[in-house]
C-alpha cells in the first residue's frame, strides 16, 4: 500500500468508528501533513480517494467534511437455529450453485473464489516452469500416501505462525481442504452419530455429514464472537455428540475471529465431554490482523483436534493442495485417505512447496490480506449506499465473505434465482443451514477487484432487495 | 522396434510356442534373410540378441541351436476361494506395502508403477512448460465438479477405441482410477451389501469395500479367461449380490484379457440379476493386441456399467488424473465426488488434455505396449532361469504385472519380509485376497527396463523360493 492509501484507510477507519462524525469538518491538509509526517500532496491524494469513495465531500474555502450518510447497518444478531439433531437437506441447492460456477461471464458474488490475479502469484507459474524444465521423474511416480515430504516440512513451518508445533509426519496432504474435512469426518464419526456445527455453516461440510449418515445440532453463533459456548455446552449435556466442527478463524460465512478465550473455552468443553474438534482453518491465514490468530489446534495437548486447511483461499483453489493434521486419529485418517483417492498429485504439491521455500508465500499473503481488507472497505461502502435500510451486515475480520441478513419474513431464494438470470451469481443463506434456515440471508464474496460490473451487480442486488422489502 | 528386434521377437515366439524345439538347429542366416527379406547382418543381430537372452546358442561351423532349457512353467489353475461372503482384512499388509514404496533405492518388484522414463513422455513436460508460460488464470480457479471439458472431450474420443460411444457430459474426472473406484462403490453400494469380485483382486478396491462395510464373495478366476461365469451365476443365485467388480482387460494381477464372449456373458448375467458392473479398465490401453479389446461398458445399453479408468498406468500415476463413466448412477456419483474432494486439480488435467490433443498419447501408448511386451519376454526368460521348478506363472496379455504361484502349502509372506530387508520390494498374493488367501503367490512388476539390479533381484528371489520349496 502506498503512503496516501495508508492514510486514507486510517481516516476511513476513524470515520467508521465515529471519531469524525457525520457532517463534521476534517482536519486541514496542513495539520494532517505535520501530524503524520507526510507531504501536503500525500494528504491531498488521500482526501481525493476518500472523496471518490463518497466518505467525505469538499466545501469551497472551508475544507473537507464527513459526508452525511446512512448509518452503518448493525451486525446480525446471534442466530437461533432449532436446538435438536436434524437431517441435512439442500443438496439440490448446492448442486445448482456448483453448476453456476461454470458460467464464466457471471459476476460471482456467491462464489468462494479468492482473487488469483495479483502479481505476487507470478512466482507460482515460474516454479511450475522450473518443474517442466527439470523433469524430475520422481514427480511422475506414485507419491507417498502422506504427501510430499518437502511440502509437509514447509507446512509444519507455516503452522508455527498459528502457535502449532507439529512434525511433518503429523501432516497428511489432501486434495484441498475439502478432502481434509471429508477425511476428518470419516475418521471421527460413524453413521448415526451426531455432531455440533456453527449455524450458519459451510455447505460442503454439511453435505459430507449427510453422506456419512451423520445428523447435526446447529449451535447459535454470534457474528462477532462465534459459536455460543453456553449453547454448545447445553447441547453437549443433552445429546450424545461425537464432535464439533468449527471455522473459528475468519469464519465462513460470518467472518468473525473467535476470541482466544472462547477458543480455549471450546477446547476445555471438548475435553470435559471427551469429543473431537474438527477445526477448519482454510481462511485462517487471511486474517487482517498480524500476526495471524492462534488455532484451537495450538491448544491441543491430547490429540483431539483435527486441523483441516489448504492453499485454496490463500493461493489457488485449482491446485487442490490441502492438508489435515489429524492428531490421535492419524491411523484412521490414513486409511480414509487411501480408500478415497490413494496418493495426491505431485506437481501442484511440489510447485507450492517451492513457492513457499523461496519466500514468495509470505509476500503474497501480506498483499492479499491488505487487498481483502481494502476491498471490504469499498464493499461495505457500496452495500451501505445501494442496499436498503433494515438489513444487518457482518464485519468480517478476515477472508472475503460477507453475510447480509434481512428481516426474517423475507425469502431471498427466488430473488437469487432472478438475479442469476441477470448474470449475477448469488447464494441465499439457506445453503448454509442443515434445515434450510436463513432464506432471509445472503453470502457475498468481496475477493474480486472492484470494477464497473461489480458495482452494477451490487446496485442491481440492492434494488432487488429494496423492492422485496417494500412489498413484504 | 528396429527390424532386428522385430525378427528376434518373432523367433523367440516360435521357440516359445515349440515350433523350434529344444536342441533343434535353427534356419541358417542366409535362408532367414531371404525368408524375411532382411539383410544378413539384421539376421545376425537378431541371433546375437537371442543368444544374449540365452534362448539359443551357437555351435562352431554348425549354426545356431535352441538352448536346452527348463520347460515353460504352466499357468496357474482356476482359483478356488471360499464361496460365501467374507469380511475383508489385510489393511496392515496394504499399509506396509504403501510405506515400502517410499524407499526409493528398493527394487520395486511389488509395485504397480509403470515405466515413466521413456522419451515419448517428454511432450508432457513440454505441455506443462507451456501452461507455465501462458498463465491462464482459469486454471487457478475452482474447476467444474465434472472436470475440465477439454479433457473430457479427449477421453470420450479415446473411449471410441474400446467400442464406447459416450458424451463428455457422461464422464466425471477423478483423482486417479482410485477415486473413480471409490466413487463407483459408494454410488452403487450401501453398508451391509455384498459384491462379487475376481479372486485374486486389486487390494485397493477391497480396502474401499471394507471401509464402506461391504462384504465380498470371491469368485473363482482363471488366469487365461478370467472370472468363472458359471461360478458367478451360482453366487448370484445364492446371495443378494449388489454388483460385480471386474478388471476384465489386462487383469491385475492375473494379466488375462477376458474373451469377448465371456464379457458378453457377464453383462447378460448382470442384466438377468439386475446388478451393477464396476469395470476397472485402468490397464485396458496397455493390451499387447491392437486395436485394444472392447470394454464391457461398450455393451452397456441400460447404464448399469460404471467404467473406471485413469492415465496412471499409461502415462503417470503422479498426475492423479482418472475418470468414471457412471451410467445411470451419475447423480449419486456427482454427490460422492463432491463430498470426497470437490473438484479435481486443473493443471495436470490440462497438461494431459493437451498431450492427447497434440497426438502424443497414441505415440506413447504404441511404444509402451511394445516395451511391456518385450519386457515380459525377458522377464519370463529370467523367471524360468532363476525360479525353481514346480511353480506356475501367468502369461499376461497386457499391462506389466505377473502372477507366480507355488504349491499351496508354502507361505511366502515371511519370504517377502526377508526379501524387503535385502532391498527387494515384494508383494505376497495374500494382499490380493479378502481373506488372506494366496500366501503361496507373488505379484511381480515387469514395467521397469531390465538391468543388473533387476536381474540380481530376480536371482535372489528365485534362490529364496528354491530354498523354501526344498524345505517344504
Amino acid at each position: 500500500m502506498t503512503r496516501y492509501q495508508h492514510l486514507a484507510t486510517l481516516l476511513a477507519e476513524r470515520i467508521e468508528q465515529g471519531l469524525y462524525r457525520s457532517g463534521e469538518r476534517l482536519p486541514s491538509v496542513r495539520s494532517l501533513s505535520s501530524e503524520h509526517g507526510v507531504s501536503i500532496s500525500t494528504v491531498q491524494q488521500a482526501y481525493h480517494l476518500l472523496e471518490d469513495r463518497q466518505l467525505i465531500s469538499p466545501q469551497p474555502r472551508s475544507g473537507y467534511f464527513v459526508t452525511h450518510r446512512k448509518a452503518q447497518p448493525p451486525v446480525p444478531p446471534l442466530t437461533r437455529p432449532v436446538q435438536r439433531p436434524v437431517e441435512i437437506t439442500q443438496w439440490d441447492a448446492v448442486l445448482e450453485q456448483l453448476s453456476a460456477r461454470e458460467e464464466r461471464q457471471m459476476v460471482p458474488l456467491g462464489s468462494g473464489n479468492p482473487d488469483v490475479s495479483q502479481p505476487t502469484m507470478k512466482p507460482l507459474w515460474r516454479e511450475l516452469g522450473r518443474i517442466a524444465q527439470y523433469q524430475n521423474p520422481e514427480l511422475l511416480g506414485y507419491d507417498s500416501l502422506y504427501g510430499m515430504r518437502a511440502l509437509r516440512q514447509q507446512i509444519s513451518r507455516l503452522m508455527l505462525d498459528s502457535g502449532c508445533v507439529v512434525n511433518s509426519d503429523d501432516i497428511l496432504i489432501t486434495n484441498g481442504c475439502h478432502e481434509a474435512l471429508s477425511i476428518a469426518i470419516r475418521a471421527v464419526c460413524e453413521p448415526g452419530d451426531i455432531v455440533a456445527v456453527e449455524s450458519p455453516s459451510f455447505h460442503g461440510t454439511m453435505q459430507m455429514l449427510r453422506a456419512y449418515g451423520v445428523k447435526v445440532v446447529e449451535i447459535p453463533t454470534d457474528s462477532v464472537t462465534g459459536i455460543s459456548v453456553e449453547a454448545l455446552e447445553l447441547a453437549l449435556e443433552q445429546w450424545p455428540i461425537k464432535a464439533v466442527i468449527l471455522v473459528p478463524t475468519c469464519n465462513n460465512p460470518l467472518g468473525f475471529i473467535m476470541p482466544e478465550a472462547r477458543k480455549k473455552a471450546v477446547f476445555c468443553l471438548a475435553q470435559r465431554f471427551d469429543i473431537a474438534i474438527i477445526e477448519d482453518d482454510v481462511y485462517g491465514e487471511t486474517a487482517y490482523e498480524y500476526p495471524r490468530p492462534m488455532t484451537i489446534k495450538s491448544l491441543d495437548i491430547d490429540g483431539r483436534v483435527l486441523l483441516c486447511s489448504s492453499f485454496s483461499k490463500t493461493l489457488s483453489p485449482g491446485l487442490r493442495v490441502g492438508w489435515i493434521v489429524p492428531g490421535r486419529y492419524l491411523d484412521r485418517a490414513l486409511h480414509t485417505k487411501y480408500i478415497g483417492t490413494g496418493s495426491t498429485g505431485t506437481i501442484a504439491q511440489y510447485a507450492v512447496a517451492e513457492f513457499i521455500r523461496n519466500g514468495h508465500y509470505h509476500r503474497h499473503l501480506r498483499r492479499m490480506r491488505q487487498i481483502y481488507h481494502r476491498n471490504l472497505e469499498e464493499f461495505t461502502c457500496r452495500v451501505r449506499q445501494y442496499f436498503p435500510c433494515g438489513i444487518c451486515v457482518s464485519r468480517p475480520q478476515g477472508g472475503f465473505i460477507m453475510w447480509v441478513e434481512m428481516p426474517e419474513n423475507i425469502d431471498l431464494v427466488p430473488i437469487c434465482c432472478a438475479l442469476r438470470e441477470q448474470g449475477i451469481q448469488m447464494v441465499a443463506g439457506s445453503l448454509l443451514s442443515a434445515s434450510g434456515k436463513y432464506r432471509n440471508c445472503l453470502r457475498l464474496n468481496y475477493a474480486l477487484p472492484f470494477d464497473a460490473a461489480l458495482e452494477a451487480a451490487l446496485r442491481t442486488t440492492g434494488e432487488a432487495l429494496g423492492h422485496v422489502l417494500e412489498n413484504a
Side-chain angles (χ1 to χ4, degrees), chain A:
Chain A
M1 222 188 281
T2 62
R3 210 166 275 184
Y4 80 92
Q5 285 170 329
H6 186 79
L7 182 60
T9 306
L10 190 84
L11 294 169
E13 273 172 10
R14 287 186 183 173
I15 294 170
E16 216 59 68
Q17 291 159 1
L19 291 177
Y20 302 127
R21 305 232 182 108
S22 183
E24 192 179 327
R25 186 173 174 278
L26 287 158
S28 70
V29 169
R30 195 166 303 272
S31 70
L32 265 190
S33 150
S34 70
E35 184 192 339
H36 293 278
V38 294
S39 71
I40 296 283
S41 79
T42 301
V43 179
Q44 281 169 334
Q45 276 180 296
Y47 272 169
H48 285 312
L49 193 64
L50 293 174
E51 196 186 335
D52 283 346
R53 291 190 196 161
Q54 303 177 331
L55 285 171
I56 63 173
S57 52
Q59 280 180 20
R61 272 183 300 274
S62 312
Y64 282 92
F65 290 78
V66 178
T67 319
H68 289 282
R69 296 181 308 153
K70 285 193 267 180
Q72 171 85 317
V75 297
L78 186 74
T79 58
R80 304 198 164 280
V82 195
Q83 287 305 283
R84 57 177 166 73
V86 293
E87 303 265 3
I88 294 155
T89 57
Q90 307 297 317
W91 166 238
D92 294 339
V94 172
L95 194 59
E96 198 176 303
Q97 191 246 337
L98 291 173
S99 356
R101 97 182 166 202
E102 281 168 68
E103 297 170 41
R104 302 286 175 192
Q105 70 288 16
M106 279 218 174
V107 181
L109 273 177
S111 86
N113 272 320
D115 177 5
V116 294
S117 68
Q118 296 301 324
T120 46
M121 281 291 284
K122 294 265 172 199
L124 188 69
W125 294 113
R126 275 208 300 278
E127 297 300 351
L128 200 63
R130 226 166 274 157
I131 291 173
Q133 193 186 339
Y134 292 136
Q135 311 189 358
N136 177 355
E138 257 187 38
L139 296 182
L140 296 177
Y142 282 105
D143 188 21
S144 148
L145 188 54
Y146 281 86
M148 294 188 89
R149 182 167 298 278
L151 178 61
R152 286 183 283 133
Q153 282 167 344
Q154 294 302 333
I155 290 172
S156 81
R157 264 170 225 147
L158 291 182
M159 284 184 67
L160 290 173
D161 294 345
S162 65
C164 284
V165 182
V166 299
N167 194 288
S168 63
D169 289 335
D170 303 327
I171 300 170
L172 255 181
I173 303 294
T174 57
N175 289 281
C177 189
H178 212 92
E179 191 184 23
L181 288 165
S182 180
I183 288 174
I185 289 169
R186 282 181 284 171
V188 169
C189 302
E190 303 286 338
D193 281 349
I194 304 172
V195 307
V197 298
E198 292 151 339
S199 179
S201 91
F202 172 50
H203 48 276
T205 311
M206 282 197 294
Q207 291 302 321
M208 292 168 200
L209 291 167
R210 171 176 174 251
Y212 304 127
V214 174
K215 286 187 189 175
V216 299
V217 184
E218 296 176 290
I219 308 293
T221 302
D222 184 78
S223 67
V224 177
T225 56
I227 196 168
S228 160
V229 180
E230 301 72 24
L232 177 61
E233 185 172 357
L234 281 174
L236 288 171
E237 276 165 4
Q238 204 173 353
W239 311 101
I241 287 170
K242 203 72 165 282
V244 55
I245 304 181
L246 298 173
V247 192
T249 311
C250 312
N251 178 267
N252 174 12
L254 294 177
F256 59 77
I257 295 174
M258 270 179 88
E260 223 169 287
R262 284 185 157 244
K263 286 178 176 165
K264 281 182 186 152
V266 167
F267 182 73
C268 290
L269 270 187
Q271 282 195 309
R272 211 176 95 210
F273 288 89
D274 194 21
I275 62 166
I277 297 176
I278 298 176
E279 180 175 23
D280 175 354
D281 191 50
V282 73
Y283 287 94
E285 306 243 275
T286 62
Y288 305 148
E289 64 186 69
Y290 187 81
R292 64 148 290 171
M294 45 82 84
T295 51
I296 301 181
K297 181 74 188 170
S298 70
L299 307 166
D300 190 20
I301 47 172
D302 47 9
R304 66 176 67 248
V305 183
L306 300 95
L307 182 116
C308 301
S309 193
S310 83
F311 296 103
S312 295
K313 305 303 178 184
T314 48
L315 276 175
S316 142
L319 297 172
R320 309 312 291 141
V321 178
W323 67 93
I324 180 170
V325 189
R328 64 164 83 151
Y329 299 93
L330 180 62
D331 286 346
R332 286 196 65 172
L334 262 179
H335 187 251
T336 310
K337 168 70 182 157
Y338 178 66
I339 56 131
T341 56
S343 52
T344 308
T346 51
I347 291 170
Q349 278 190 72
Y350 195 64
V352 172
E354 287 294 287
F355 185 84
I356 304 171
R357 196 174 66 86
N358 293 323
H360 304 301
Y361 182 67
H362 274 111
R363 194 172 313 135
H364 175 68
L365 211 54
R366 209 158 46 232
R367 185 183 179 92
M368 296 320 294
R369 267 199 301 269
Q370 286 176 355
I371 285 180
Y372 292 143
H373 200 176
R374 207 184 331 157
N375 283 4
L376 171 60
E377 203 186 287
E378 286 260 20
F379 207 83
T380 311
C381 175
R382 304 307 153 126
V383 162
R384 185 184 306 180
Q385 189 176 348
Y386 297 129
F387 281 31
C389 294
I391 60 168
C392 299
V393 175
S394 68
R395 309 252 194 293
Q397 297 170 270
F400 41 79
I401 299 287
M402 179 181 280
W403 185 253
V404 173
E405 191 172 323
M406 300 198 66
E408 243 183 282
N409 57 331
I410 285 180
D411 185 359
L412 293 178
V413 176
I415 308 295
C416 286
C417 288
L419 285 171
R420 270 200 287 272
E421 287 188 4
Q422 293 177 63
I424 305 170
Q425 189 220 338
M426 192 63 90
V427 163
S430 48
L431 200 70
L432 296 109
S433 157
S435 51
K437 248 183 91 87
Y438 310 123
R439 294 175 77 93
N440 58 321
C441 300
L442 284 181
R443 193 187 82 157
L444 299 175
N445 177 317
Y446 59 84
L448 292 193
F450 219 82
D451 61 7
L454 187 53
E455 173 127 27
L458 276 182
R459 195 186 297 122
T460 309
T461 308
E463 282 165 9
L465 296 185
H467 192 72
V468 73
L469 205 55
E470 269 169 35
N471 296 338

